[in-house]
Amino acid sequence: MAQPLHPSLTFDVVYPEVVRSRDDVGGSAGSEFSTLVADALRRGITAKFFATLDADAQLRADLCTVCVEAKRNHLRVEHLIIAFKDAWRALPEARMLPQGSQGPELLSHIITLCIGEFYAPRGD
């Protein structure tokens, strides 16, 4: 039987309410921020598997919008990663992807792009 960790060695990840969808707290609709994240993921999946024209530019524009909103809400990049992973698990489109590594690789790619976008210098 595993020994529980000493209380001083454990921690709870606390992230702002804006990151959580209302489903997480008992409501029926997602927060505006979680909706932005889910929409970006949905378009990223569509672009990847249906080879839509100018898909990369659209994904980057979506990620830019997500990052601007994240900064406006004083979120850290860690919060974005949590938001993207939570949204991914909830997306029916993600669950319909072919078995194997394509789904996780796509999510990882989108998160990597988002981190780059989050730290990109802006003129605003």
Side-chain angles (χ1 to χ4, degrees), residues 100-114:
S101 63
Q102 287 183 350
E105 285 175 3
L106 178 59
L107 175 61
S108 179
H109 175 68
I110 291 171
I111 289 174
T112 300
L113 289 175
C114 190

Side-chain angles (χ1 to χ4, degrees), residues 40-75:
L41 284 172
R42 194 172 282 118
R43 282 190 286 271
I45 290 170
T46 302
K48 168 76 174 165
F49 291 99
F50 296 104
T52 58
L53 187 61
D54 207 19
D56 192 48
Q58 179 61 52
L59 177 59
R60 288 184 183 275
D62 289 342
L63 295 177
C64 180
T65 300
V66 168
C67 290
V68 166
E69 187 66 17
K71 289 178 181 181
R72 191 179 71 72
N73 285 289
H74 309 289
L75 301 179

